[in-house]
Amino acid sequence: MASVDRTVIADLPLFAGLAPEQLDELLREAQSVRYPKGTTVFQQDAEAHSFFVLLHGHLRVYKLTPDGQQVVVRFVSAGEVFGVAMAIGRTTYPATAVAVVDSIALVWPSVAWPRLIAKHPTLAVNTLQTVGSRLQDAHARVVEMSTEQVERRIAHALLRLAQQSGRKVEAGVQIDFPISRQDVAEMTGTTLHTVSRVLSAWEDRGFVASGRQKITILEPHRLFVLAEGGLP
Amino acid sequence: MASVDRTVIADLPLFAGLAPEQLDELLREAQSVRYPKGTTVFQQDAEAHSFFVLLHGHLRVYKLTPDGQQVVVRFVSAGEVFGVAMAIGRTTYPATAVAVVDSIALVWPSVAWPRLIAKHPTLAVNTLQTVGSRLQDAHARVVEMSTEQVERRIAHALLRLAQQSGRKVEAGVQIDFPISRQDVAEMTGTTLHTVSRVLSAWEDRGFVASGRQKITILEPHRLFVLAEGGLP
DNA sequence: GGCTCTCTTTGCGCGGCAGCAAACAGCAGC
DNA sequence: GCTGCTGTTTGCTGCCGCGCAAAGAGAGCC
């Protein structure tokens, strides 16, 4: 297996404040693994044997309800830690992660975690920040679902996606991985039918351009106003 | 100010793995503060000057939306850490905390946090677990709000309240702080009217007994079946 | 005790959105 | 090119739960 250069991870928030030698030391324990599109990286309720840093690609993380419905927890972009079940006191993964495009991740065995944070407490501090910001995202989502109706929730979801995974193209900002109406529906607690209707309406108004598994935001500001409850 | 004995905090998860002398050292930097019923402990968007451990009482933590609606994030019970904004990389509080009964908390200045975790990395690790379990709660809530209808969400909310703040009484389990229909509505993303209707129906069926700012669960199992989607 | 304030209950009507159904359109594979 | 699959669009119907309104009931206070 090709060894990973430290410069690849040096700027990631997780490793902020660590010395080059410490990075090398951490990398020595990691494996770099390829996950072709469609592959499952880990499965909900399975033993949390590893934790990960995504080097390349995009993952879709979702929870499955007892009655078989899926809820998208988030999409993971390159540079993010994920699967840190052990760190938050779990022995199994709370969700399933699937590669939506060909992806590459660094993989550490979970059993190494206690030793790593004992040796590099900065890791725990950085992870705390990461988990904390995810907690805030989750709360923001709870607030949205409690108080906003569907159209505004969808607007918020798209803006968030654009912010973390947007790619600038001529016409606007495109979400740079394949995403279906069903995905957006599972992020916002609605149905693909409703998402389709809303996107069609926006397309007519020129806010977005969308196609099969593809969404481009043409008028981010208009969408923002709509998300905040204004009448654009 | 009366100094706090270490035995009061020795068994709290936050301080797990710390030696008695370390506890004393931490306590020396803390103040014990009383918050009479109705008092605001901290306010959303205010400078996060302190973090806290609740010694006695109950707090209601809520977020205010731009249009003035409240969403209850959680209720804090004795023994829990709260207001750890600084630890998760914020400079302001993301929500407001109000005492729903007379309460007492230990208060540390936020500026001490970096020094404290540098000296006691265990604190960061323990906080990570706490924040992690809150993240899971938040995600569970997102899943519920996405996939369940109101009655089941209310059932889940009550069961969760009973679990963390239930007091066993003759007839069943009572939520041991004053809680209104409005509160339950703001936890589940519905209206006090609907909560009232649902509770009335349950009362008729004998699942719960409720009065003014008071809810007692008589048939936890029945409620559980209902929450999980069965027909009790 | 009586007053007032806050919390709760209940009825009624409407609307947003889900659920169902069926047609349509990219895209891949042969 | 054709075929099949998966994702998308759109119409229609029904109903859950919100919004409004108004009455009822505890609890605190003087």
Side-chain angles (χ1 to χ4, degrees):
Chain A
M1 179 201 51
S3 82
V4 177
D5 190 85
R6 87 166 80 97
T7 57
V8 177
I9 63 160
D11 294 329
L12 302 184
L14 176 64
F15 301 111
L18 289 176
E21 315 83 69
Q22 294 179 306
L23 292 178
D24 289 337
E25 196 182 326
L26 287 170
L27 281 174
R28 228 169 288 133
E29 307 207 30
Q31 277 191 45
S32 167
V33 181
R34 281 175 20 85
Y35 297 97
K37 177 175 178 169
T39 320
T40 299
V41 180
F42 57 76
Q43 192 110 31
Q44 182 169 343
D45 297 329
E47 192 71 24
H49 43 74
S50 307
F51 66 95
F52 311 79
V53 167
L54 192 65
L55 292 182
H56 181 82
H58 285 280
L59 309 180
R60 177 181 186 274
V61 182
Y62 66 90
K63 279 181 166 257
L64 204 61
T65 65
D67 56 316
Q69 295 189 72
Q70 297 188 6
V71 175
V72 171
V73 175
R74 64 185 186 115
F75 284 91
V76 180
S77 298
E80 299 183 37
V81 224
F82 65 97
V84 287
M86 165 75 69
I88 59 174
R90 291 191 50 117
T91 58
T92 59
Y93 295 112
T96 301
V98 173
V100 291
V101 294
D102 291 346
S103 302
I104 302 173
L106 285 175
V107 185
W108 283 265
S110 287
V111 290
W113 177 256
R115 181 168 45 78
L116 294 179
I117 53 170
K119 190 153 187 191
H120 314 288
T122 313
L123 270 183
V125 176
N126 293 342
T127 305
L128 183 51
Q129 309 262 332
T130 303
V131 175
S133 86
R134 263 179 233 172
L135 179 60
Q136 291 178 66
D137 286 352
H139 279 156
R141 225 167 130 184
V142 168
V143 170
E144 285 172 20
M145 301 198 65
S146 296
T147 62
E148 298 176 3
Q149 24 199 63
V150 169
E151 189 174 34
R152 292 179 56 188
R153 298 210 301 269
I154 297 176
H156 270 125
L158 288 198
L159 288 171
R160 213 171 299 140
L161 282 170
Q163 193 161 19
Q164 10 173 296
S165 314
R167 188 164 49 84
K168 193 110 188 64
V169 295
E170 343 73 76
V173 181
Q174 185 176 114
I175 295 165
D176 81 336
F177 55 83
I179 183 168
S180 69
R181 320 282 138 145
Q182 178 75 35
D183 290 329
V184 177
E186 286 170 8
M187 297 179 70
T188 51
T190 178
T191 62
L192 80 161
H193 308 273
T194 300
V195 172
S196 176
R197 273 181 261 265
V198 169
L199 286 186
S200 295
W202 288 350
E203 190 133 24
D204 291 345
R205 300 222 259 160
F207 295 1
V208 303
S210 71
R212 191 191 175 82
Q213 307 218 72
K214 198 179 61 180
I215 303 176
T216 309
I217 299 175
L218 306 179
E219 301 266 15
H221 183 65
R222 294 284 188 85
L223 209 57
F224 180 78
V225 172
L226 202 158
E228 296 308 309
L231 296 170
Chain B
M1 181 202 49
S3 81
V4 178
D5 192 85
R6 89 165 79 97
T7 56
V8 177
I9 63 160
D11 293 330
L12 303 183
L14 176 64
F15 302 112
L18 290 175
E21 314 84 67
Q22 295 179 304
L23 292 177
D24 289 336
E25 196 183 326
L26 287 169
L27 280 175
R28 229 169 287 133
E29 308 208 28
Q31 278 190 41
S32 167
V33 180
R34 280 176 20 86
Y35 297 97
K37 177 175 179 170
T39 320
T40 299
V41 179
F42 57 75
Q43 191 110 31
Q44 182 168 344
D45 297 329
E47 193 69 25
H49 44 73
S50 309
F51 67 94
F52 310 79
V53 166
L54 193 65
L55 291 183
H56 181 80
H58 285 281
L59 309 180
R60 177 181 187 274
V61 182
Y62 66 91
K63 279 180 167 261
L64 203 63
T65 65
D67 56 314
Q69 297 188 71
Q70 297 188 8
V71 175
V72 171
V73 174
R74 65 186 185 113
F75 285 91
V76 181
S77 298
E80 297 183 38
V81 224
F82 65 97
V84 287
M86 165 76 69
I88 60 174
R90 291 191 51 118
T91 57
T92 60
Y93 296 112
T96 301
V98 172
V100 291
V101 294
D102 292 346
S103 301
I104 301 173
L106 285 175
V107 185
W108 282 264
S110 287
V111 290
W113 177 258
R115 181 169 44 81
L116 293 179
I117 54 171
K119 190 153 187 191
H120 314 288
T122 314
L123 269 184
V125 176
N126 292 343
T127 307
L128 184 51
Q129 309 261 332
T130 304
V131 174
S133 88
R134 264 180 233 171
L135 179 60
Q136 291 178 66
D137 286 351
H139 280 156
R141 228 169 128 181
V142 168
V143 170
E144 283 173 21
M145 301 198 66
S146 296
T147 61
E148 297 175 2
Q149 19 203 64
V150 169
E151 189 174 33
R152 291 179 56 188
R153 299 210 301 269
I154 297 176
H156 270 125
L158 288 197
L159 289 171
R160 213 172 298 140
L161 282 170
Q163 193 160 18
Q164 14 174 287
S165 315
R167 188 164 48 86
K168 194 110 188 66
V169 294
E170 341 73 75
V173 182
Q174 184 178 114
I175 295 164
D176 81 338
F177 55 83
I179 183 167
S180 70
R181 320 282 139 144
Q182 178 75 35
D183 290 328
V184 177
E186 286 170 7
M187 297 179 70
T188 52
T190 179
T191 61
L192 80 162
H193 308 274
T194 301
V195 173
S196 176
R197 276 181 259 265
V198 169
L199 286 187
S200 295
W202 288 350
E203 190 133 23
D204 291 346
R205 300 222 259 162
F207 295 2
V208 303
S210 71
R212 190 189 174 83
Q213 307 218 72
K214 199 179 63 183
I215 303 174
T216 308
I217 299 175
L218 305 179
E219 301 266 16
H221 183 65
R222 293 284 188 85
L223 209 57
F224 180 77
V225 171
L226 202 158
E228 296 307 310
L231 298 169

